[in-house]
């Protein structure tokens, strides 16, 4: 059922897969057997910062070479033309929503950013980061990727919770529903009686909580869904 109120959309790796960016482990075969604990936790960075930087340097290069696909452009069009706010929340760190002209809350950080683990200063990351990089504010050799690692609090949570509380429709696109707190967004809005829609290539572990489902490749089904909402062709 069409609603003209605020829409909140959560996107995950499935939206960027057709831009050549896969899930956490399959962006490069060289890292296919790397455990999360070795590259995506504060403890891993403290133990071997060079290895962590090498992993995210690889991901940063891949993201810089990627281009938005039809799903990214369709969501940007929805933000532009829907008569009420369309809030994009993404678990992705690649920046492709912005490259397509959209605006997204990147709850897991951004590959394009650098963060000082000492003073919290943020700045644009170079393509290659090393443990020797100094913070431009405090001078500490504590530069890390501006990425939310496992065990850390996602960004923008107060803003996200506010949007989830007053939307008319919640949509999850291309996300497996396996990583919290994002995995709990659908259940939370469903308890408030808010309409929910899951768009994914296949059913997920949290599919049962959604009112409606659209199955298919994001680059095909997302533009069709947006066109249906806007009553126009997906071009």
């Amino acid at each position: 059922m069409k609603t003209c109120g605020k829409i909140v959309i959560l996107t995950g790796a499935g939206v960027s897969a057709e831009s050549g960016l896969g899930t956490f482990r399959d962006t490069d075969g060289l890292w296919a057997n790397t455990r999360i604990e070795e590259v995506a936790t504060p403890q891993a960075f403290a133990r071997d910062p060079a290895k962590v930087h090498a992993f995210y340097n690889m991901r940063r290069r891949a993201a810089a070479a990627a281009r938005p696909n039809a799903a990214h452009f369709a969501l940007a069009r929805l933000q532009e033309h829907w008569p009420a706010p369309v809030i994009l929340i993404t678990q992705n760190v690649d920046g492709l929503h912005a490259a397509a002209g959209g605006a997204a809350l990147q709850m897991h950080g951004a590959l394009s950013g650098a963060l000082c683990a000492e003073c919290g200063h943020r700045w644009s990351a170079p393509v290659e980061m090393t443990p020797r990089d100094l913070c431009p504010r405090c001078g500490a050799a504590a530069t890390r990727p501006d990425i939310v690692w496992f065990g850390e609090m996602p960004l923008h949570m107060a803003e996200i919770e506010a949007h989830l509380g007053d939307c008319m429709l919640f949509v999850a696109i291309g996300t497996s529903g396996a990583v919290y707190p994002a995995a709990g967004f659908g259940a939370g809005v469903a308890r408030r009686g808010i309409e929910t829609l899951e768009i994914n290539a296949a059913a997920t572990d949290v599919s049962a909580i959604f009112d409606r489902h659209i199955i298919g490749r994001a680059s095909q089904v997302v533009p069709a869904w947006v066109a249906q909402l806007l009553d126009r062709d997906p071009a």
Side-chain angles (χ1 to χ4, degrees):
M1 179 178 67
K2 180 182 288 189
T3 174
C4 290
K6 178 191 287 188
I7 300 174
V8 173
I9 300 171
L10 172 69
T11 66
V15 171
S16 294
E18 293 175 72
S19 293
L21 300 177
T23 60
F24 183 87
R25 287 195 176 93
D26 65 9
T27 52
D28 190 302
L30 294 174
W31 293 89
N33 295 318
T34 301
R35 297 188 307 126
I36 288 171
E37 294 82 0
E38 296 176 12
V39 291
T41 66
Q43 295 78 13
F45 185 68
R47 182 170 56 249
D48 194 344
K51 182 173 185 175
V52 172
H53 275 305
F55 177 76
Y56 284 98
N57 288 342
M58 175 273 296
R59 296 191 72 194
R60 194 176 299 109
R61 289 192 298 271
R67 295 296 177 264
N69 62 56
H72 295 106
F73 286 111
L75 293 174
R77 287 196 299 273
L78 183 61
Q79 282 191 310
E80 180 180 1
H81 296 291
W82 190 246
V86 174
I87 308 301
L88 272 179
I89 305 163
T90 188
Q91 298 170 281
N92 299 334
V93 295
D94 51 49
L96 291 181
H97 283 302
L105 297 172
Q106 292 185 264
M107 62 182 296
H108 290 165
L111 288 167
S112 61
L115 170 67
C116 178
E118 186 70 26
C119 74
H121 180 58
R122 286 182 161 89
W123 67 99
S124 295
V127 175
E128 296 287 324
M129 296 174 64
T130 77
R132 298 181 301 279
D133 295 344
L134 303 181
C135 170
R137 173 183 285 175
C138 73
T143 297
R144 53 166 280 184
D146 192 6
I147 298 294
V148 176
W149 287 325
F150 288 89
E152 296 181 328
M153 179 63 67
L155 305 175
H156 313 295
M157 286 305 297
E159 186 177 356
I160 289 169
E161 289 295 340
H163 288 306
L164 291 171
D166 67 359
C167 66
M168 296 289 291
L169 172 66
F170 172 75
V171 187
I173 305 176
T175 177
S176 65
V179 178
Y180 284 85
F185 290 171
V189 297
R191 284 194 295 269
R192 302 186 189 107
I194 295 168
E195 183 182 2
T196 56
L197 168 66
E198 182 181 48
I199 302 177
N200 215 326
T204 68
D205 291 342
V206 296
S207 291
I209 65 96
F210 287 88
D211 298 313
R212 295 187 293 130
H213 306 84
I214 299 175
I215 302 297
R217 296 174 61 182
S219 66
Q220 296 175 349
V221 298
V222 172
W225 170 69
V226 169
Q228 184 180 39
L229 285 180
L230 299 177
D231 295 321
R232 73 182 199 187
D233 292 332

